[in-house]
Amino acid sequence: INNEGIFMPNVTIFTPPSHFVQNHDSKVMFMRECTDICTAVLGAEENKVHIIFVNVLESFTGKDAYIEIKFRYSDQRTQEVMNKFMQLLENIYIHYFSKQPRIRCFAYQAENIFARN
């Protein structure tokens, strides 16, 4: 994949803090593997991958976790590429936290992204 100008994604994980009770190492390893699939599958630059965890009080409906990925649109990020990315992301989340996440991906055209830092 040609990653010229492909600097995102931003991965935001909304989940109850209880998912991380196991140990800090699981969270660190998850972030490492998440970064790896962002670079290998999406073609993102490693230093531009942004992963943030947002603790929610409790999930009452839906899945145990919600992961939202926002990324810059690229012709290389086809439906097949995104399906592979989501499957790998789901697999590593389940591996480290024993919960199945809901995953949603949102592509943005470069001219619609305004950013700083």
Side-chain angles (χ1 to χ4, degrees):
I1 195 167
N2 175 2
N3 65 357
E4 183 176 314
I6 301 175
F7 301 114
M8 295 169 83
N10 293 316
V11 180
T12 306
I13 301 140
F14 299 88
T15 189
S18 61
H19 286 203
F20 308 118
V21 170
Q22 298 159 350
N23 65 46
H24 180 70
D25 293 340
S26 290
K27 192 174 181 180
V28 171
M29 291 304 298
F30 170 82
M31 289 190 302
R32 177 73 255 151
E33 288 191 40
C34 183
T35 299
D36 289 347
I37 64 170
C38 286
T39 58
V41 179
L42 298 183
E45 295 180 18
E46 184 174 353
N47 65 335
K48 301 296 181 176
V49 175
H50 185 234
I51 301 169
I52 185 168
F53 289 84
V54 177
N55 289 329
V56 297
L57 293 176
E58 201 169 346
S59 292
F60 291 105
T61 62
K63 297 290 183 186
D64 296 313
Y66 173 73
I67 302 176
E68 182 174 278
I69 300 92
K70 295 178 182 176
F71 58 94
R72 186 173 295 182
Y73 172 81
S74 165
D75 288 338
Q76 290 95 5
R77 293 177 176 168
T78 63
Q79 182 69 48
E80 293 81 17
V81 168
M82 295 312 298
N83 285 339
K84 178 180 179 181
F85 171 77
M86 289 186 289
Q87 184 62 60
L88 291 169
L89 183 60
E90 180 179 331
N91 291 349
I92 64 170
Y93 194 90
I94 291 170
H95 173 76
Y96 287 108
F97 305 115
S98 302
K99 305 289 182 186
Q100 185 180 45
R102 176 166 285 149
I103 300 172
R104 298 291 184 267
C105 298
F106 302 92
Y108 295 91
Q109 296 287 344
E111 61 269 12
N112 295 324
I113 299 171
F114 305 94
R116 231 181 121 144
N117 301 322

